[in-house]
């Protein structure tokens, strides 16, 4: 299903010929990201795009952010993951490492197939742990 463009310019951009010039082709994706937050090219490999965005975003939060989620114990006994700025930055680092692990899992260079499978399983487990942290702390990913 195609999301309709809110701007007439994008309708015309989709009909341009991209074979002769690559600059307008890149402009199309740049403009789509500015208007809707993602481009057609991003969807081709959406998991890698999201891993890059999440990984880069949490690194920026750790470096320049000033806030962190409060230590809250819910009535059902669930505790949030951190109680200090340093602990929050450590968790953001785990998330960033997990997103990088997702990228590394695509490019494991080894001749031993058992080693490749073991390494891939480790990287996927690291990525899944990072995604669990993102899910549990999703409402706190702001500065």
């Amino acid at each position: 299903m195609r999301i309709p463009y809110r701007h007439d310019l994008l309708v015309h951009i989709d009909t341009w010929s991209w074979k002769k010039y690559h600059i307008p082709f890149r402009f199309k994706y740049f403009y789509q990201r500015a208007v809707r937050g993602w481009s057609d090219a991003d969807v081709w490999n959406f998991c890698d795009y999201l891993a890059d965005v999440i990984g880069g975003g949490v690194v920026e939060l750790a470096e320049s952010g000033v806030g962190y989620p409060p230590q809250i114990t819910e009535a059902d006994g669930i505790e949030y993951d951190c109680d200090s700025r340093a602990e929050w930055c450590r968790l953001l680092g785990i998330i960033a490492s997990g997103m990088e692990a997702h990228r590394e899992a695509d490019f494991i260079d080894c001749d031993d197939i058992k080693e490749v499978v073991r390494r891939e399983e480790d990287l996927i487990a690291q990525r899944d742990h990072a995604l669990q942290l993102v899910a549990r702390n999703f409402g706190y990913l702001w500065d």
Side-chain angles (χ1 to χ4, degrees), residues 82-143:
C82 64
D83 58 359
S84 70
R85 173 85 179 126
E87 182 70 12
W88 179 239
C89 289
R90 186 185 72 77
L91 286 176
L92 293 175
I94 291 171
I95 293 170
S97 296
M99 297 301 102
E100 181 62 31
H102 170 78
R103 297 296 295 223
E104 288 177 28
D106 289 339
F107 304 105
I108 298 173
D109 186 23
C110 184
D111 293 332
D112 182 17
I113 190 66
K114 289 181 182 180
E115 178 65 22
V116 170
V117 170
R118 186 198 61 76
R119 180 73 177 133
E120 184 178 35
E121 288 173 351
D122 291 345
L123 291 170
I124 289 172
Q126 187 179 354
R127 178 204 61 199
D128 290 347
H129 177 66
L131 289 173
Q132 288 174 352
L133 289 174
V134 169
R136 287 197 344 225
N137 296 287
F138 191 75
Y140 296 117
L141 294 175
W142 56 272
D143 184 20

Side-chain angles (χ1 to χ4, degrees), residues 5 8-18 28:
Y5 293 120
D8 289 336
L9 176 62
L10 282 180
V11 173
H12 298 295
I13 288 175
D14 270 345
T15 61
W16 289 350
S17 173
W18 305 109
K28 171 186 172 182

